[in-house]
Amino acid sequence: MTTHRITVLPGDGIGPEVIREAVACLELIGRERQHDFVFETHPMGGAGFEASGDPLPDSTLAACMASSAVLLGAVGGPSWDKLPAHQRPESGLLRLRKALGCYANLRPVAIFEALVDSSPLKSHIVRGTDLLIVRELAGGLYYGHPRSLDADRGVNTMAYSAPEVERVTRVAFEAARQRRKLVTSVDKANVLEASRLWRATVDRVAADYPDVKVEHQYVDSAAMLLVTNPTHFDVVLTENLFGDILSDEAAVLGGSLGFLPSASLGGPVGLYEPVHGSAPSLAGQDVANPIGAIASAALLLRHSLKLEAEASLLEQAITEVLGEGYGTPDLKGASRTVGTAELGDRIRERCYQLCWHGTMPELVVGP
Ligand code: NAD
Ligand code: IPM
Ligand code: MN
């Protein structure tokens, strides 16, 4: 039996609560489907800083590099906001992404029919949305130089090289081939040189994918179309900061940021994390939506462990449990509001049923 080593970085705020549910799902799937998953938990973000003075301790990074995949909760929080830049939890996350070579961040956005009324948008607008944001993750403003801050000036630089654009563009086109064969590349080429290079590179790569349609949109107009005509989109390809912003915007389509999972790929080790942050005001109250984290675990099964059947099973369990009306308090359309742990329990019970068409014996769920 192959041993799959999964490094778990719960992080801060609601991170540990949602990751607990995701890891329990992986444990169940490993047990029932006879896979050897070995979990190793390490401090990261604010927790890393508290443990060692570094948001990405050397031992955490070494464990990540030596593993089959990394599952991360979220990092950050008010206690660490005043620290110097290199000690902030977020800078540890950026170093981790870079060290793992993750340049393509896949953020799928699908609407659960049962929760179509959770969205603040009208149901006829969001119904049927099924898009994939491919966010460039290793370049752009997040990593550009020069970069500096003094008393009266702050500098960041958006820079892209053609190879950086090309590699993430290929990921987007390959993904589109498996989907509805439309890539919408989002940039600001009417103003930014980095975006003009982006657009030219996307067009050059597009020639290798004649079966995939490509279109270009400016980011300001794309932000508007995302909430007025979301079903238009299939694969949305964009640079780092635009992708960060558009993905939180896309979260309103499904009704909660708590839903969205992500997979960061391109290097030797994949990194999986929900799109949301550490939501400090929700921490420790058993109210955080664990689905972004659990669905990220499904992406881990699919992309890093190549266990497609198990990934689909976990996604089906999520869909069915939501279909029965269960949801955390952020899901306004849920008819049965439950806590983080109970929602996780119900998803695991459904996984077990889907595995064996039975009921999981050791699990007693709900009130
Ligand atoms: P956030 O994503 O933590 O929260 C935004 C809003 O969404 C809040 O109202 C929050 O309550 C809600 N929310 C988020 N996740 C939820 C969930 N699972 N269930 C229910 N509701 C949820 O963003 P923020 O408040 O801007 O940032 C808080 C901290 O998180 C900051 O320190 C920020 O840097 C950090 N952050 C980390 C990551 C990451 O680790 N990948 C991502 C985004 C933000
Ligand atoms: C995300 C987050 C991160 C980002 C922060 C915490 C560094 O917002 O994963 O979306 O901007 O990439
Ligand atoms: Mn973000």
Side-chain angles (χ1 to χ4, degrees), residues 75-76 89-91 93-94 97 105 107 135 137 142 240-241 243-245 247-248 262 273-277:
V75 300
E90 295 86 349
S91 81
L93 178 56
L94 299 189
R97 289 172 177 170
N105 181 220
R107 298 186 158 188
R135 170 189 176 194
L137 201 63
Y142 281 62
N240 203 343
L241 182 64
D244 179 45
I245 297 168
S247 51
D248 274 33
S262 86
E273 43 175 325
V275 169
H276 65 73

Side-chain angles (χ1 to χ4, degrees), residues 13 15 26 31 41 109 128 145 148 158 197 207 225 247 270 293 300 311 348:
L26 290 173
R31 190 168 69 236
T41 301
V109 182
H145 286 278
S148 63
M158 184 191 284
L197 178 91
L225 289 167
S247 51
L300 183 157
R348 284 187 292 282

